[in-house]
Amino acid sequence: MENLKQRIESYNKKFDEYENKPLKEEQTFEVIEGKIPVLLSAPHSVRQLREGKIKGKDRYTGAITIELAKQTNSFAIYKTYNNQDDASYDIENNEYKEKVLELINKHNIKVFLDIHGAKDTDEFDVDIGTDEKRNLNGKTQILENLIKNLNEKGITKIGIDKKFKACTMHTLTKKIASSTNIACMQIEITRKYRDLEQVEKMEKIINAIKSWIKEIG
C-alpha cells in the first residue's frame, strides 16, 4: 500500500500537469462525491488570475483535499485549470461557487471547509477564518471541535480570524455562509504543514482534519 507521501505525490501530479496544458474542457474543476455531509474545497489548487495578475497556486492543497475526501468519504471540489479566473475571489460568473451551492443543496451538506495555503509565519501554523464566527451560522461547536482535533495532533499555534477572516463576499466562505445556513470556515495552512520534505507535519494536519470530519459523520 502506498504511504501518505506517495499518495500526495500521485495526486499532485495532476495539478502540475493541468497547469502546463491548454484548456481543452469547459469545466475547470473536479468533484468527488461521498457520504459524510462535509464539503472540502481547494479553489487555489492551480494558479489563478486576480485583478489582472497571475497568482501562484496554494501548493498541495488540492492533493490534501483529495486525500481527505478519499480517507473520510466526504465530498470535495477543487480547481483543475486556470481559466483566467479566481474561483475564490470572483463574485460574478463564478461556476465554481455555483457548483459548491449545488452540491450543498443536492447532498444536504452540513459543513463547508475551504482549504488554502499561507506562507510560514510566527503568528500561526493554521488560521481559521470565520468572520467573528458569523460564518458558522450559530454552529460554534464545529469550530471548537476542529481546534480540539488540531490540538490533539500537536498543532497548537492556531489563529482565529488572525489574518484571513473570510469576511467579504470575495471569499467562498462568506458567500456560502451568506447563501446557506450551514457552518462554513476557511482554513489557511502554513507552508511547513504543506511540505513533503516535512511529511510528518503534513500528516499531522491531515489526521487532525480527518478525525474532525469523522466526528461530524
Side-chain angles (χ1 to χ4, degrees):
M1 176 182 267
E2 290 181 316
N3 61 30
L4 175 63
K5 186 173 182 179
Q6 290 171 326
R7 293 196 302 273
I8 292 294
E9 286 175 334
S10 175
Y11 300 146
N12 196 60
K13 280 181 182 177
K14 69 161 61 181
F15 298 103
D16 289 338
E17 290 170 357
Y18 286 149
E19 286 199 326
N20 296 315
K21 285 182 180 179
L23 180 62
K24 295 181 179 179
E25 303 174 14
E26 289 185 7
Q27 186 168 298
T28 63
F29 52 82
E30 290 179 359
V31 170
I32 297 174
E33 294 194 1
K35 294 192 179 298
I36 289 182
V38 174
L39 176 57
L40 308 169
S41 165
H44 291 163
S45 47
V46 295
R47 288 189 297 262
Q48 64 269 189
L49 182 70
R50 183 182 298 181
E51 296 180 345
K53 295 181 180 179
I54 290 288
K55 293 175 64 67
K57 63 186 174 186
D58 292 349
R59 191 162 180 79
Y60 293 119
T61 55
I64 288 170
T65 297
I66 294 171
E67 170 71 6
L68 285 167
K70 288 180 177 289
Q71 292 295 319
T72 63
N73 202 16
S74 55
F75 293 76
I77 182 171
Y78 46 88
K79 277 286 281 186
T80 52
Y81 290 96
N82 171 15
N83 193 31
Q84 304 301 300
D85 65 345
D86 185 328
S88 181
Y89 186 81
D90 296 346
I91 293 176
E92 302 296 333
N93 303 315
N94 191 325
E95 293 182 358
Y96 187 98
K97 284 183 179 177
E98 291 171 6
K99 186 64 177 181
V100 167
L101 287 170
E102 177 188 315
L103 289 168
I104 289 169
N105 292 327
K106 181 178 179 181
H107 299 287
N108 198 25
I109 299 295
K110 303 299 184 187
V111 179
F112 175 71
L113 184 68
D114 201 34
I115 300 174
H116 292 258
K119 296 178 181 178
D120 285 339
T121 171
D122 291 332
E123 295 181 87
F124 58 83
D125 289 329
V126 169
D127 190 20
I128 304 171
T130 70
D131 189 18
E132 305 296 334
K133 299 185 180 178
R134 295 182 187 91
N135 296 337
L136 297 169
N137 283 317
K139 302 164 185 68
T140 56
Q141 190 65 46
I142 295 292
L143 171 62
E144 292 168 13
N145 289 349
L146 178 56
I147 294 169
K148 173 183 70 73
N149 278 284
L150 289 166
N151 286 335
E152 287 175 354
K153 296 299 186 290
I155 303 169
T156 57
K157 197 184 291 185
I158 301 168
I160 307 298
D161 299 318
K162 187 89 174 177
K163 183 176 180 181
F164 301 96
K165 297 182 179 181
C167 60
T168 78
M169 295 300 282
H170 281 295
T171 63
L172 267 169
T173 300
K174 173 52 70 176
K175 169 63 178 177
I176 304 309
S178 300
S179 304
T180 69
N181 66 352
I182 71 172
C184 301
M185 295 182 288
Q186 176 176 312
I187 186 168
E188 298 276 345
I189 303 170
T190 53
R191 187 173 293 145
K192 60 177 169 283
Y193 281 91
R194 295 178 292 111
D195 181 1
L196 277 185
E197 297 306 311
Q198 303 181 71
V199 70
E200 70 285 351
K201 282 187 168 64
M202 184 184 287
E203 189 168 24
K204 284 182 179 180
I205 195 80
I206 288 173
N207 284 340
I209 298 174
K210 184 167 67 174
S211 296
W212 169 73
I213 291 171
K214 288 183 176 179
E215 287 179 0
I216 295 168

